[in-house]
Amino acid sequence: MLSIRGLRIRTGHGFTLVEIMIVVGLLVVLMVLSLPSMLRSRMNANEATAIAVCRQASNACQSFYASATPHVYPESFQDLVNTVPPYLDETFDALRPEKQGYIFTYTREDEDNFNIIAEPTSEGRTGARYFYVDETGIVTNKEGEQAGPS
C-alpha cells in the first residue's frame, strides 16, 4: 500500500473474502426463494401435458372406433400406434406409456366403453393431480387420489 499524506491507496486489484462470501450468500438466498416456484411451474407443465395426452388418446380412440367395422374401441394403446397411418404419433410409446412424469393406463371395458387414467410417477414432484377420460371425451381430475368419471 502506498501512503500519500495519510491516505492509503490499495495497489491490489480484486475482491476480499468477505465481499465474495456476501455475494455467494445473496445468491443462495435468491435460489432458495425461487426454487419452489420453479418446481411448481414444472408440475403445472407436466399436468398440462397429461391433459393434452388424455385428450389426444381419447380422440384417437374415437377415430379408431369410427373406422373399425364393427365399431369397437381398441384393445390397447398398441392398436392405436401400430396402424397405418397411426392414430397416435411416434413419440407415444405404447409399450411404456409414460410422458413427462405421468403414466397412462388404457382399459377397454367392452366394445363400446374405455377409460384412460393418468397418474403422476412421483406424486408431489411430477404432478399433484390424477386425470381420467372415457368415451365421452371429458377429462376429469382429482388431487391426491385416482380420478374417476364423476
Side-chain angles (χ1 to χ4, degrees):
M1 288 203 196
L2 298 172
S3 180
I4 303 175
R5 294 189 185 183
L7 296 175
R8 290 186 177 176
I9 301 172
R10 278 180 45 191
T11 57
H13 300 286
F15 299 103
T16 65
L17 182 60
V18 172
E19 291 170 332
I20 292 173
M21 289 183 70
I22 289 172
V23 169
V24 169
L26 288 173
L27 289 175
V28 167
V29 167
L30 288 174
M31 286 175 44
V32 166
L33 292 175
S34 65
L35 190 62
S37 64
M38 287 190 325
L39 292 176
R40 185 66 199 156
S41 65
R42 176 168 288 197
M43 277 181 35
N44 288 342
N46 290 348
E47 290 176 353
T49 300
I51 293 169
V53 169
C54 284
R55 286 188 180 138
Q56 179 187 21
S58 175
N59 290 339
C61 288
Q62 295 298 344
S63 296
F64 185 96
Y65 183 85
S67 65
T69 306
H71 293 301
V72 294
Y73 285 110
E75 290 285 333
S76 67
F77 281 134
Q78 286 182 308
D79 293 344
L80 298 173
V81 175
N82 294 335
T83 58
V84 178
Y87 291 97
L88 289 175
D89 63 0
E90 303 80 33
T91 62
F92 190 82
D93 185 0
L95 296 175
R96 188 169 172 249
E98 182 179 330
K99 216 170 201 184
Q100 264 188 271
Y102 272 83
I103 297 173
F104 299 89
T105 306
Y106 174 86
T107 305
R108 186 178 96 167
E109 297 169 5
D110 56 39
E111 290 81 13
D112 296 322
N113 297 298
F114 74 91
N115 65 56
I116 300 169
I117 297 170
E119 57 185 79
T121 55
S122 176
E123 188 177 335
R125 287 182 50 109
T126 59
R129 296 187 295 167
Y130 292 71
F131 299 98
Y132 173 93
V133 66
D134 58 15
E135 64 279 349
T136 64
I138 299 170
V139 179
T140 60
N141 71 78
K142 194 176 266 188
E143 192 165 332
E145 61 181 290
Q146 194 169 21
S150 59

